[in-house]
C-alpha cells in the first residue's frame, strides 16, 4: 500500500494505524467494485 514504516510508536497505536490503513483499502476496493451510491445504500441497511 506504499507504507514503508508506521508513524506511531507502541503496539496499540501501531495496531490502530494498521487497522485504519486496512479499512481505507477495503473502502477503496468496495467503491471501485460497487460505486459510491450502492455502497452508501448498503452501509445504511
Amino acid at each position: 500500500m506504499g507504507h514503508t514504516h508506521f508513524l506511531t510508536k507502541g503496539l496499540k497505536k501501531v495496531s490502530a494505524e494498521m487497522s485504519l490503513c486496512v479499512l481505507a483499502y477495503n473502502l477503496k476496493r468496495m467503491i471501485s467494485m460497487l460505486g459510491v451510491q450502492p455502497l452508501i445504500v448498503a452501509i445504511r441497511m
Side-chain angles (χ1 to χ4, degrees):
M1 293 188 295
H3 296 279
T4 57
H5 63 279
F6 293 101
L7 301 175
T8 56
K9 293 184 180 182
L11 190 57
K12 276 185 162 181
K13 292 178 183 178
V14 168
S15 177
E17 184 179 344
M18 188 63 205
S19 294
L20 288 172
C21 288
V22 171
L23 177 64
Y25 173 77
N26 286 332
L27 281 173
K28 283 177 66 174
R29 285 190 68 212
M30 292 304 295
I31 288 171
S32 70
M33 286 183 208
L34 298 176
V36 175
Q37 290 301 330
L39 183 59
I40 291 172
V41 170
I43 290 173
R44 287 185 179 171
M45 294 177 100

Short mmCIF file of all heavy atoms in Angstrom, two decimals:
data_model
loop_
_atom_site.label_atom_id
_atom_site.label_comp_id
_atom_site.label_asym_id
_atom_site.label_seq_id
_atom_site.Cartn_x
_atom_site.Cartn_y
_atom_site.Cartn_z
N MET A 1 0.82 -1.20 0.00
CA MET A 1 0.00 0.00 0.00
C MET A 1 0.85 1.25 0.00
O MET A 1 0.34 2.34 0.20
CB MET A 1 -0.95 -0.01 1.19
CG MET A 1 -2.01 -1.10 1.11
SD MET A 1 -3.29 -1.02 2.36
CE MET A 1 -2.39 -1.33 3.83
N GLY A 2 2.15 1.10 -0.15
CA GLY A 2 3.01 2.25 -0.22
C GLY A 2 3.60 2.69 1.11
O GLY A 2 4.37 3.63 1.16
N HIS A 3 3.24 2.03 2.20
CA HIS A 3 3.77 2.40 3.51
C HIS A 3 5.04 1.60 3.77
O HIS A 3 5.05 0.39 3.65
CB HIS A 3 2.75 2.13 4.62
CG HIS A 3 1.52 2.95 4.51
ND1 HIS A 3 1.46 4.25 4.95
CD2 HIS A 3 0.30 2.68 4.00
CE1 HIS A 3 0.26 4.74 4.71
NE2 HIS A 3 -0.47 3.80 4.13
N THR A 4 6.10 2.30 4.15
CA THR A 4 7.34 1.61 4.48
C THR A 4 7.60 1.57 5.98
O THR A 4 8.42 0.79 6.43
CB THR A 4 8.54 2.30 3.79
OG1 THR A 4 8.57 3.67 4.19
CG2 THR A 4 8.40 2.22 2.27
N HIS A 5 6.89 2.41 6.73
CA HIS A 5 7.03 2.41 8.18
C HIS A 5 5.77 3.00 8.81
O HIS A 5 4.96 3.62 8.12
CB HIS A 5 8.27 3.19 8.61
CG HIS A 5 8.21 4.64 8.24
ND1 HIS A 5 8.51 5.10 6.98
CD2 HIS A 5 7.88 5.73 8.96
CE1 HIS A 5 8.36 6.41 6.95
NE2 HIS A 5 7.98 6.82 8.14
N PHE A 6 5.62 2.80 10.11
CA PHE A 6 4.48 3.35 10.82
C PHE A 6 4.84 4.73 11.38
O PHE A 6 5.99 5.01 11.69
CB PHE A 6 4.07 2.43 11.96
CG PHE A 6 3.50 1.12 11.48
CD1 PHE A 6 4.27 -0.03 11.49
CD2 PHE A 6 2.22 1.05 10.99
CE1 PHE A 6 3.76 -1.22 11.04
CE2 PHE A 6 1.69 -0.14 10.53
CZ PHE A 6 2.47 -1.28 10.56
N LEU A 7 3.84 5.58 11.50
CA LEU A 7 4.06 6.93 12.00
C LEU A 7 3.96 7.01 13.52
O LEU A 7 4.33 8.01 14.12
CB LEU A 7 3.04 7.89 11.38
CG LEU A 7 3.07 7.97 9.85
CD1 LEU A 7 1.93 8.85 9.36
CD2 LEU A 7 4.40 8.52 9.39
N THR A 8 3.44 5.95 14.14
CA THR A 8 3.25 5.94 15.59
C THR A 8 4.21 4.97 16.24
O THR A 8 4.86 4.17 15.57
CB THR A 8 1.81 5.54 15.94
OG1 THR A 8 1.52 4.27 15.35
CG2 THR A 8 0.81 6.55 15.42
N LYS A 9 4.27 5.02 17.57
CA LYS A 9 5.11 4.10 18.35
C LYS A 9 4.23 3.39 19.36
O LYS A 9 3.27 3.96 19.86
CB LYS A 9 6.23 4.85 19.06
CG LYS A 9 7.24 5.43 18.12
CD LYS A 9 8.37 6.08 18.88
CE LYS A 9 9.38 6.65 17.90
NZ LYS A 9 10.52 7.26 18.58
N GLY A 10 4.56 2.16 19.64
CA GLY A 10 3.80 1.38 20.60
C GLY A 10 2.85 0.43 19.88
O GLY A 10 2.30 0.76 18.83
N LEU A 11 2.70 -0.75 20.45
CA LEU A 11 1.91 -1.78 19.80
C LEU A 11 0.44 -1.38 19.60
O LEU A 11 -0.13 -1.60 18.53
CB LEU A 11 1.99 -3.08 20.60
CG LEU A 11 1.41 -4.33 19.95
CD1 LEU A 11 2.07 -4.59 18.60
CD2 LEU A 11 1.57 -5.52 20.86
N LYS A 12 -0.17 -0.76 20.59
CA LYS A 12 -1.58 -0.36 20.48
C LYS A 12 -1.77 0.68 19.37
O LYS A 12 -2.69 0.59 18.57
CB LYS A 12 -2.09 0.21 21.80
CG LYS A 12 -2.57 -0.79 22.78
CD LYS A 12 -3.16 -0.06 23.98
CE LYS A 12 -4.04 -0.99 24.78
NZ LYS A 12 -4.63 -0.29 25.91
N LYS A 13 -0.89 1.66 19.34
CA LYS A 13 -1.01 2.74 18.35
C LYS A 13 -0.71 2.23 16.95
O LYS A 13 -1.39 2.60 15.99
CB LYS A 13 -0.10 3.90 18.71
CG LYS A 13 -0.54 4.62 19.97
CD LYS A 13 0.40 5.74 20.33
CE LYS A 13 -0.03 6.40 21.62
NZ LYS A 13 0.90 7.45 22.01
N VAL A 14 0.30 1.37 16.83
CA VAL A 14 0.62 0.80 15.52
C VAL A 14 -0.53 -0.07 15.04
O VAL A 14 -0.89 -0.05 13.86
CB VAL A 14 1.94 0.01 15.58
CG1 VAL A 14 2.14 -0.82 14.33
CG2 VAL A 14 3.10 0.96 15.76
N SER A 15 -1.13 -0.83 15.94
CA SER A 15 -2.27 -1.67 15.59
C SER A 15 -3.44 -0.82 15.09
O SER A 15 -4.10 -1.16 14.10
CB SER A 15 -2.70 -2.50 16.80
OG SER A 15 -3.83 -3.26 16.50
N ALA A 16 -3.71 0.30 15.77
CA ALA A 16 -4.78 1.19 15.35
C ALA A 16 -4.48 1.81 13.99
O ALA A 16 -5.35 1.91 13.12
CB ALA A 16 -4.99 2.28 16.38
N GLU A 17 -3.21 2.20 13.77
CA GLU A 17 -2.82 2.78 12.49
C GLU A 17 -2.99 1.77 11.35
O GLU A 17 -3.50 2.10 10.28
CB GLU A 17 -1.37 3.26 12.57
CG GLU A 17 -0.90 3.95 11.32
CD GLU A 17 0.53 4.44 11.43
OE1 GLU A 17 1.08 4.51 12.54
OE2 GLU A 17 1.11 4.75 10.37
N MET A 18 -2.59 0.54 11.60
CA MET A 18 -2.72 -0.51 10.58
C MET A 18 -4.18 -0.79 10.29
O MET A 18 -4.58 -0.98 9.14
CB MET A 18 -1.99 -1.77 11.03
CG MET A 18 -1.92 -2.83 9.98
SD MET A 18 -0.95 -2.24 8.58
CE MET A 18 -1.61 -3.25 7.29
N SER A 19 -5.01 -0.80 11.34
CA SER A 19 -6.44 -1.03 11.15
C SER A 19 -7.06 0.06 10.28
O SER A 19 -7.90 -0.23 9.42
CB SER A 19 -7.15 -1.07 12.51
OG SER A 19 -6.74 -2.18 13.24
N LEU A 20 -6.67 1.30 10.48
CA LEU A 20 -7.18 2.40 9.66
C LEU A 20 -6.73 2.26 8.21
O LEU A 20 -7.51 2.52 7.28
CB LEU A 20 -6.74 3.75 10.21
CG LEU A 20 -7.42 4.19 11.50
CD1 LEU A 20 -6.76 5.44 12.05
CD2 LEU A 20 -8.90 4.42 11.26
N CYS A 21 -5.49 1.82 8.00
CA CYS A 21 -4.99 1.61 6.63
C CYS A 21 -5.78 0.51 5.93
O CYS A 21 -6.15 0.65 4.76
CB CYS A 21 -3.52 1.25 6.65
SG CYS A 21 -2.44 2.62 7.07
N VAL A 22 -6.05 -0.58 6.64
CA VAL A 22 -6.80 -1.69 6.06
C VAL A 22 -8.23 -1.26 5.77
O VAL A 22 -8.80 -1.61 4.73
CB VAL A 22 -6.74 -2.92 6.99
CG1 VAL A 22 -7.68 -4.01 6.53
CG2 VAL A 22 -5.32 -3.44 7.06
N LEU A 23 -8.84 -0.50 6.67
CA LEU A 23 -10.20 -0.01 6.46
C LEU A 23 -10.27 0.88 5.22
O LEU A 23 -11.17 0.73 4.38
CB LEU A 23 -10.68 0.77 7.69
CG LEU A 23 -12.06 1.41 7.58
CD1 LEU A 23 -13.13 0.36 7.44
CD2 LEU A 23 -12.32 2.28 8.79
N ALA A 24 -9.31 1.79 5.07
CA ALA A 24 -9.29 2.66 3.90
C ALA A 24 -9.10 1.85 2.62
O ALA A 24 -9.76 2.11 1.61
CB ALA A 24 -8.17 3.69 4.03
N TYR A 25 -8.23 0.84 2.65
CA TYR A 25 -8.00 -0.01 1.50
C TYR A 25 -9.29 -0.74 1.10
O TYR A 25 -9.66 -0.78 -0.08
CB TYR A 25 -6.89 -1.01 1.81
CG TYR A 25 -6.68 -2.05 0.76
CD1 TYR A 25 -6.01 -1.75 -0.42
CD2 TYR A 25 -7.15 -3.35 0.92
CE1 TYR A 25 -5.81 -2.70 -1.40
CE2 TYR A 25 -6.97 -4.31 -0.05
CZ TYR A 25 -6.29 -3.99 -1.21
OH TYR A 25 -6.11 -4.94 -2.17
N ASN A 26 -9.98 -1.30 2.09
CA ASN A 26 -11.21 -2.03 1.81
C ASN A 26 -12.31 -1.11 1.28
O ASN A 26 -13.07 -1.50 0.39
CB ASN A 26 -11.68 -2.78 3.05
CG ASN A 26 -10.83 -3.99 3.34
OD1 ASN A 26 -10.24 -4.58 2.43
ND2 ASN A 26 -10.73 -4.35 4.60
N LEU A 27 -12.41 0.10 1.81
CA LEU A 27 -13.41 1.04 1.31
C LEU A 27 -13.12 1.43 -0.14
O LEU A 27 -14.04 1.52 -0.96
CB LEU A 27 -13.45 2.30 2.18
CG LEU A 27 -14.23 2.16 3.48
CD1 LEU A 27 -14.05 3.41 4.32
CD2 LEU A 27 -15.69 1.91 3.21
N LYS A 28 -11.84 1.65 -0.45
CA LYS A 28 -11.47 1.96 -1.84
C LYS A 28 -11.84 0.82 -2.77
O LYS A 28 -12.34 1.04 -3.89
CB LYS A 28 -9.97 2.25 -1.94
CG LYS A 28 -9.58 3.62 -1.44
CD LYS A 28 -8.09 3.83 -1.50
CE LYS A 28 -7.60 3.85 -2.92
NZ LYS A 28 -6.16 4.19 -3.02
N ARG A 29 -11.62 -0.41 -2.33
CA ARG A 29 -11.97 -1.58 -3.16
C ARG A 29 -13.48 -1.67 -3.38
O ARG A 29 -13.93 -1.94 -4.49
CB ARG A 29 -11.48 -2.86 -2.50
CG ARG A 29 -10.00 -3.07 -2.62
CD ARG A 29 -9.59 -4.43 -2.17
NE ARG A 29 -10.12 -5.42 -3.10
CZ ARG A 29 -10.49 -6.65 -2.76
NH1 ARG A 29 -10.39 -7.05 -1.51
NH2 ARG A 29 -10.96 -7.48 -3.66
N MET A 30 -14.24 -1.44 -2.32
CA MET A 30 -15.70 -1.53 -2.44
C MET A 30 -16.25 -0.43 -3.34
O MET A 30 -17.17 -0.65 -4.11
CB MET A 30 -16.36 -1.46 -1.06
CG MET A 30 -16.10 -2.66 -0.19
SD MET A 30 -16.57 -4.23 -0.95
CE MET A 30 -18.32 -4.04 -1.08
N ILE A 31 -15.68 0.76 -3.26
CA ILE A 31 -16.11 1.86 -4.13
C ILE A 31 -15.81 1.51 -5.58
O ILE A 31 -16.64 1.74 -6.46
CB ILE A 31 -15.45 3.18 -3.71
CG1 ILE A 31 -16.06 3.67 -2.39
CG2 ILE A 31 -15.61 4.24 -4.80
CD1 ILE A 31 -15.33 4.85 -1.78
N SER A 32 -14.66 0.90 -5.84
CA SER A 32 -14.33 0.56 -7.23
C SER A 32 -15.20 -0.59 -7.74
O SER A 32 -15.50 -0.66 -8.92
CB SER A 32 -12.85 0.21 -7.36
OG SER A 32 -12.57 -1.02 -6.74
N MET A 33 -15.63 -1.49 -6.85
CA MET A 33 -16.47 -2.61 -7.26
C MET A 33 -17.93 -2.21 -7.44
O MET A 33 -18.56 -2.57 -8.43
CB MET A 33 -16.40 -3.74 -6.23
CG MET A 33 -15.14 -4.51 -6.23
SD MET A 33 -15.30 -5.82 -5.01
CE MET A 33 -13.61 -6.03 -4.54
N LEU A 34 -18.47 -1.49 -6.46
CA LEU A 34 -19.90 -1.20 -6.45
C LEU A 34 -20.24 0.20 -6.94
O LEU A 34 -21.31 0.41 -7.49
CB LEU A 34 -20.45 -1.34 -5.02
CG LEU A 34 -20.36 -2.70 -4.35
CD1 LEU A 34 -20.86 -2.61 -2.93
CD2 LEU A 34 -21.15 -3.73 -5.14
N GLY A 35 -19.38 1.15 -6.68
CA GLY A 35 -19.69 2.55 -6.91
C GLY A 35 -20.11 3.18 -5.60
O GLY A 35 -20.37 2.51 -4.61
N VAL A 36 -20.20 4.48 -5.59
CA VAL A 36 -20.45 5.21 -4.35
C VAL A 36 -21.89 5.03 -3.86
O VAL A 36 -22.13 4.70 -2.70
CB VAL A 36 -20.12 6.71 -4.52
CG1 VAL A 36 -20.48 7.48 -3.27
CG2 VAL A 36 -18.65 6.88 -4.85
N GLN A 37 -22.86 5.23 -4.73
CA GLN A 37 -24.27 5.18 -4.30
C GLN A 37 -24.68 3.81 -3.77
O GLN A 37 -25.28 3.73 -2.69
CB GLN A 37 -25.19 5.63 -5.45
CG GLN A 37 -25.11 7.10 -5.75
CD GLN A 37 -25.47 7.97 -4.56
OE1 GLN A 37 -26.26 7.60 -3.71
NE2 GLN A 37 -24.84 9.13 -4.48
N PRO A 38 -24.39 2.70 -4.46
CA PRO A 38 -24.77 1.40 -3.89
C PRO A 38 -24.06 1.10 -2.57
O PRO A 38 -24.64 0.46 -1.69
CB PRO A 38 -24.33 0.40 -4.97
CG PRO A 38 -24.29 1.17 -6.22
CD PRO A 38 -23.89 2.56 -5.83
N LEU A 39 -22.84 1.60 -2.41
CA LEU A 39 -22.13 1.38 -1.15
C LEU A 39 -22.80 2.14 -0.01
O LEU A 39 -22.96 1.62 1.08
CB LEU A 39 -20.68 1.80 -1.28
CG LEU A 39 -19.80 1.56 -0.07
CD1 LEU A 39 -19.77 0.09 0.31
CD2 LEU A 39 -18.40 2.07 -0.31
N ILE A 40 -23.23 3.38 -0.27
CA ILE A 40 -23.95 4.16 0.74
C ILE A 40 -25.23 3.47 1.14
O ILE A 40 -25.57 3.37 2.32
CB ILE A 40 -24.20 5.59 0.24
CG1 ILE A 40 -22.87 6.35 0.16
CG2 ILE A 40 -25.18 6.33 1.16
CD1 ILE A 40 -22.98 7.71 -0.50
N VAL A 41 -25.96 2.95 0.16
CA VAL A 41 -27.21 2.24 0.44
C VAL A 41 -26.92 1.00 1.28
O VAL A 41 -27.64 0.71 2.25
CB VAL A 41 -27.92 1.85 -0.88
CG1 VAL A 41 -29.07 0.92 -0.62
CG2 VAL A 41 -28.39 3.12 -1.59
N ALA A 42 -25.88 0.25 0.94
CA ALA A 42 -25.54 -0.96 1.69
C ALA A 42 -25.12 -0.64 3.12
O ALA A 42 -25.44 -1.39 4.04
CB ALA A 42 -24.42 -1.71 0.96
N ILE A 43 -24.43 0.45 3.33
CA ILE A 43 -23.99 0.83 4.67
C ILE A 43 -25.19 1.24 5.53
O ILE A 43 -25.25 0.93 6.71
CB ILE A 43 -22.94 1.96 4.61
CG1 ILE A 43 -21.64 1.42 4.03
CG2 ILE A 43 -22.70 2.57 5.99
CD1 ILE A 43 -20.60 2.47 3.77
N ARG A 44 -26.16 1.89 4.93
CA ARG A 44 -27.32 2.37 5.69
C ARG A 44 -28.26 1.24 6.10
O ARG A 44 -29.06 1.42 7.01
CB ARG A 44 -28.11 3.39 4.87
CG ARG A 44 -27.38 4.70 4.78
CD ARG A 44 -28.21 5.73 4.08
NE ARG A 44 -27.47 6.99 4.03
CZ ARG A 44 -27.85 8.03 3.35
NH1 ARG A 44 -28.96 8.00 2.65
NH2 ARG A 44 -27.14 9.13 3.36
N MET A 45 -28.17 0.11 5.49
CA MET A 45 -29.08 -1.00 5.82
C MET A 45 -28.79 -1.58 7.16
O MET A 45 -27.85 -1.66 7.74
CB MET A 45 -29.01 -2.09 4.77
CG MET A 45 -29.53 -1.61 3.44
SD MET A 45 -29.36 -2.86 2.19
CE MET A 45 -31.01 -3.48 2.19
#
